[in-house]
Amino acid sequence: MRRWLMLLPLAIFLVVAVFLYRGLYLDPAELPSAMINKPFPAFSLPSVQGDKTLTRADILGKPALVNVWGTWCISCRVEHPVLNKLAEKGVVIYGINYKDVNADALKWLSEFHNPYQLDIRDDEGTLGLNLGVYGAPETFFIDAKGIIRDKFVGVIDEQVWREKLAAKYQALVDEAKP
């Protein structure tokens, strides 16, 4: 019995070491989301531009990216020019301005151009909370029925779009065709 007690610390150390070793090879951009294959949450929030109230119904009808961003987010500034290029190519992108000052968001969109077909203002972060947002930037892929099909955490640059995300978006577009 005494021998087993002496080996217990070694056994615990080995178990912890295996978990830590495994963690070295996980992709931090692939955070799990409980929202995959579930409907986009219901919401009723103002638009960043104007006084219009937006709801879930406004994002239905076509596949889209739903990009969570903020002016306080340095990575969002890196990502924004790529989103503008994607929008110019016809990619449907809706924005969720997350926990931000609306005047700052308006200035940002004026200075850096607006790739979003809809700008949802989430001042309190309630929609972000319902989506399970960790921070910004995060991008959700929704189908034409508003079902969340995938999620990407991190900056979408041209390489990430080309190698990881373009095919996912295109599959949603193809699926929506009659």
Side-chain angles (χ1 to χ4, degrees):
M1 182 67 162
R2 191 174 208 140
R3 237 184 202 167
W4 287 108
L5 287 175
M6 291 176 59
L7 292 176
L8 185 61
L10 177 61
I12 292 171
F13 171 77
L14 290 174
V15 168
V16 170
V18 166
F19 280 109
L20 292 175
Y21 181 76
R22 183 179 175 277
L24 291 174
Y25 297 98
L26 296 177
D27 184 355
E30 292 183 22
L31 293 173
S33 175
M35 295 301 296
I36 302 299
N37 295 321
K38 292 189 179 167
F40 199 88
F43 65 92
S44 180
L45 292 168
S47 173
V48 170
Q49 299 178 334
D51 295 329
K52 183 178 180 187
T53 298
L54 302 171
T55 67
R56 183 180 186 275
D58 292 309
I59 66 169
L60 301 178
K62 49 190 165 186
L65 305 180
V66 180
N67 180 252
V68 179
W69 67 282
T71 60
W72 47 264
C73 166
I74 295 169
S75 298
C76 296
R77 188 176 293 257
V78 173
E79 177 180 71
H80 202 79
V82 175
L83 297 180
N84 280 317
K85 287 180 185 177
L86 294 175
E88 288 171 9
K89 294 177 182 177
V91 174
V92 177
I93 309 172
Y94 303 132
I96 299 174
N97 183 239
Y98 183 63
K99 294 185 175 182
D100 209 345
V101 175
N102 199 55
D104 294 346
L106 289 168
K107 182 178 177 194
W108 169 293
L109 294 173
S110 173
E111 287 179 20
F112 302 117
H113 305 290
N114 186 352
Y116 307 115
Q117 290 188 13
L118 290 174
D119 297 310
I120 302 163
R121 188 169 142 191
D122 190 15
D123 294 335
E124 302 299 318
T126 55
L127 179 55
L129 180 65
N130 291 338
L131 285 166
V133 168
Y134 293 96
E138 290 188 26
T139 304
F140 294 85
F141 289 69
I142 60 170
D143 66 15
K145 296 176 184 172
I147 305 298
I148 297 171
R149 295 297 197 84
D150 207 345
K151 174 182 174 181
F152 180 78
V153 177
V155 173
I156 298 176
D157 60 22
E158 291 182 17
Q159 180 180 357
V160 166
W161 178 256
R162 185 177 56 253
E163 293 177 6
K164 293 183 177 181
L165 305 179
K168 292 178 182 186
Y169 178 76
Q170 189 60 47
L172 293 176
V173 170
D174 292 346
E175 179 183 293
K177 291 180 183 173

